[in-house]
Amino acid sequence: MSSFSNSDEENVGMSPVRKRAKRTYISASEKNIILNIYKAELLKNPGKSVTDIVQITARTAGVSKRSVFRIRKEGMSGEISSPKRTKIRQKIVEKVDDFDKNVIRRIVHQFFHRNELPTIEKVLEVVNADPTLPNFQRTTFYKLLKSINFKFTRRGRNSFLNDREDIVVWRRSYLRQLKQFREANRQIYYLDETWINAGHAKNFVWKDTSIISARAAHSSGLSTGLKNPSGKGKRLIITHIGSVNGFVDGALWTFESKKTVNYHEEMNAAKFEDWFSKIIDKLEENSVVVMDNAPYHSRKIEKIPTSKWKKADIQQWLRERGIMFADDMVKIELLHIVKQQQITDVYAVNEIAKRKNVTILRLPPYHCELNPIEMIWAQVKNYVAARNSTFKFCDMVRLFTEAINVVTPENWKKCIDRVITDFEEKFWQLDGIIESAIEPFIINLNDSDDSLVSNTSCESNIE
């Protein structure tokens, strides 16, 4: 049995040192502290082995023995320094934008329309063959499908992809309500946000393949082709609303983005609600506004307790409403009382809409093809891309303004009619086809069964 050192005896009865979080940087100053601990232990216990001293130092400093050995080696060479910080790698699934996710969803549903089983292998083959979409490995693609609300459903001996039940219910409810609103002759407006970069241009252009250098072009009196943008450039964030009568006059909201990753980071409920409050009076009485489920569209006026809440906060919520509960109740009992109140979520945007007796109708997640304004955005962006030659932000904004002005009510009607025939009617029929083909045996994607491995709000049109 090994004996305790002096430092071990001093630590008896004390709380253990908390270990350092994994994958965190050890700065030069921290390394020096660890090195000093090592040297102090070495002086206290000159007869102990290096391994024992390192173990005591690691336990005292809350780091691994490997880190202590590495710092000891650096100290002996006299080169103590802070490591170079590298960027945290972003997961591949998180890099896929909402537009590409929506395209992948549509590819899966094209199999349904052809009455063909969409396995991962079949869908992945189509996706990887599409030059406009990223290429995926099978495991990554599996995770991506799960993130956009697909699951595996077993039909007899075959497994295939299908939307989650809650998404199907949401979609059916959306389509049923939309049909009722149209039958009641209520005006329907379609709202959405998007963006355009200063460097927005056509992806495919004609190129003279015989010109292989600038020198060859100059000597022959020709050119090397169109100039390419050096980068995406500044970004214009756009919010608008329209109907079969065209864009709503005076409702356009734009601003220059200060971010480079995702424009949703700059949108918030306060800004959106302020804009919506100003344009609500421009809408017809008793109309309907279709929008997606972006967080800034869905701020709740009153937050209802969930399992993430602290017990004390749930108790306070109940007290403020005069709801009785026992002090010895555990958290799950308190949440059960909350559930019994049958309180429905109240959204700030819905309350604003009530001023004009306007109804808010929210799209199912990742169903931006059901919003005709997405096709209008495509028309606007194509107009800009075809004429953008300077790739300057001010010139792009001018082209965007022109593009908005050339969109006519006829364009809107065509887009709305196309959504009805190409998507709404097909989705309605498709859910019935799938239901008749599926046996009620659902496989949970979270299962660790290897046989599964072998067999998700579209919020914007991103180019």
Side-chain angles (χ1 to χ4, degrees):
M1 185 178 293
S2 61
S3 60
F4 284 90
S5 68
N6 294 336
S7 59
D8 290 330
E9 292 173 353
E10 292 171 1
N11 290 331
V12 172
M14 295 177 63
S15 299
V17 177
R18 180 174 294 180
K19 288 187 176 180
R20 185 184 186 87
K22 292 183 178 180
R23 295 183 181 178
T24 55
Y25 296 98
I26 302 179
S27 65
S29 60
E30 290 173 323
K31 288 181 179 180
N32 281 318
I33 293 172
I34 294 170
L35 190 59
N36 288 336
I37 294 173
Y38 172 82
K39 291 177 179 178
E41 291 297 334
L42 190 60
L43 290 173
K44 285 182 182 180
N45 306 285
K48 277 189 174 290
S49 66
V50 171
T51 302
D52 289 340
I53 298 297
V54 166
Q55 185 172 0
I56 295 171
T57 304
R59 187 166 59 247
T60 304
V63 297
S64 67
K65 290 189 291 184
R66 182 180 296 179
S67 295
V68 177
F69 273 117
R70 186 173 61 250
I71 293 167
R72 173 178 173 270
K73 184 177 179 180
E74 289 182 22
M76 292 173 64
S77 63
E79 297 180 357
I80 294 290
S81 62
S82 296
K84 293 181 179 178
R85 301 198 176 197
T86 56
K87 290 184 178 179
I88 298 174
R89 183 180 176 185
Q90 187 180 16
K91 293 181 180 179
I92 297 176
V93 171
E94 295 174 354
K95 291 182 180 180
V96 182
D97 60 35
D98 290 335
F99 180 75
D100 285 344
K101 287 179 180 178
N102 183 61
V103 172
I104 292 169
R105 277 194 68 262
R106 292 173 63 180
I107 289 174
V108 176
H109 281 275
Q110 285 172 7
F111 281 85
F112 291 138
H113 289 304
R114 296 194 300 268
N115 198 27
E116 181 181 350
L117 292 180
T119 63
I120 284 187
E121 287 77 10
K122 291 180 181 179
V123 178
L124 183 58
E125 183 179 357
V126 175
V127 170
N128 285 345
D130 190 331
T132 64
L133 293 173
N135 277 14
F136 299 95
Q137 295 294 327
R138 192 185 187 286
T139 304
T140 303
F141 192 64
Y142 175 89
K143 295 177 181 177
L144 176 63
L145 289 173
K146 183 178 177 181
S147 73
I148 56 177
N149 300 319
F150 277 106
K151 68 177 182 185
F152 278 99
T153 303
R154 178 170 289 171
R155 187 188 74 167
R157 296 182 180 178
N158 298 315
S159 294
F160 63 100
L161 295 166
N162 189 21
D163 284 315
R164 279 190 349 224
E165 284 93 341
D166 58 323
I167 302 300
V168 175
V169 171
W170 192 329
R171 181 169 64 224
R172 299 283 291 184
S173 175
Y174 170 84
L175 294 174
R176 185 176 285 108
Q177 290 181 72
L178 199 59
K179 183 179 179 181
Q180 293 172 351
F181 292 146
R182 290 191 179 119
E183 289 175 350
N185 293 320
R186 295 178 66 176
Q187 180 68 282
I188 300 174
Y189 295 93
Y190 301 92
L191 181 154
D192 192 34
E193 298 85 15
T194 190
W195 73 49
I196 301 184
N197 292 310
H200 184 65
K202 290 284 187 181
N203 292 326
F204 296 93
V205 294
W206 287 103
K207 183 178 180 180
D208 187 346
T209 57
S210 66
I211 304 299
I212 58 176
S213 67
R215 183 176 181 180
H218 179 73
S219 62
S220 60
L222 300 175
S223 71
T224 56
L226 290 172
K227 180 180 71 172
N228 291 322
S230 58
K232 293 183 178 180
K234 295 180 180 180
R235 178 178 296 168
L236 182 70
I237 310 302
I238 306 152
T239 303
H240 216 333
I241 184 171
S243 68
V244 70
N245 296 324
F247 279 119
V248 175
D249 290 337
L252 176 62
W253 173 31
T254 64
F255 62 89
E256 180 184 337
S257 172
K258 303 300 180 183
K259 302 278 186 180
T260 58
V261 180
N262 191 333
Y263 75 87
H264 293 292
E265 296 178 3
E266 294 177 272
M267 296 288 286
N268 58 52
K271 291 180 181 178
F272 178 78
E273 290 163 17
D274 180 63
W275 170 79
F276 193 69
S277 297
K278 294 174 182 176
I279 65 101
I280 192 67
D281 292 329
K282 300 178 183 294
L283 310 184
E284 290 186 15
E285 288 273 359
N286 197 35
S287 58
V288 179
V289 174
V290 172
M291 66 174 67
D292 60 35
N293 296 277
Y296 42 84
H297 293 168
S298 309
R299 183 179 68 84
K300 297 176 183 178
I301 292 179
E302 179 183 10
K303 292 184 178 180
I304 301 174
T306 66
S307 58
K308 295 181 180 180
W309 282 39
K310 293 181 180 179
K311 179 179 177 180
D313 294 334
I314 300 174
Q315 292 173 329
Q316 181 62 26
W317 187 90
L318 293 170
R319 288 192 194 96
E320 290 175 354
R321 287 152 188 79
I323 302 171
M324 301 298 295
F325 66 92
D327 292 336
D328 60 353
M329 283 184 172
V330 296
K331 186 175 177 179
I332 193 170
E333 291 179 294
L334 296 173
L335 288 173
H336 181 67
I337 294 177
V338 172
K339 188 176 181 180
Q340 288 180 323
Q341 307 308 309
Q342 297 182 342
I343 301 174
T344 57
D345 292 324
V346 179
Y347 298 101
V349 170
N350 295 51
E351 294 301 298
I352 295 172
K354 285 181 180 179
R355 287 175 12 199
K356 289 287 292 282
N357 195 27
V358 170
T359 300
I360 302 296
L361 183 60
R362 287 180 164 80
L363 288 158
Y366 297 109
H367 281 69
C368 66
E369 67 268 40
L370 294 176
N371 195 344
I373 198 173
E374 296 291 349
M375 296 182 183
I376 298 297
W377 289 145
Q379 177 182 331
V380 169
K381 291 184 177 184
N382 285 336
Y383 182 97
V384 174
R387 294 162 177 78
N388 194 7
S389 58
T390 65
F391 311 123
K392 294 180 180 179
F393 184 75
C394 57
D395 291 335
M396 181 276 292
V397 173
R398 175 180 54 79
L399 290 171
F400 165 75
T401 303
E402 292 177 6
I404 288 291
N405 291 332
V406 300
V407 175
T408 64
E410 288 73 22
N411 296 136
W412 271 91
K413 186 178 185 307
K414 288 180 180 178
C415 291
I416 294 171
D417 290 342
R418 184 180 171 188
V419 167
I420 293 173
T421 56
D422 289 2
F423 300 111
E424 292 180 15
E425 293 178 0
K426 287 185 178 179
F427 267 129
W428 189 260
Q429 296 167 3
L430 181 63
D431 291 331
I433 293 171
I434 294 174
E435 182 182 50
S436 63
I438 298 176
E439 291 183 2
F441 181 76
I442 306 302
I443 301 175
N444 190 339
L445 274 176
N446 293 321
D447 288 346
S448 58
D449 189 348
D450 293 337
S451 63
L452 274 180
V453 180
S454 62
N455 286 315
T456 190
S457 62
C458 186
E459 296 171 359
S460 63
N461 186 350
I462 306 169
E463 293 188 359

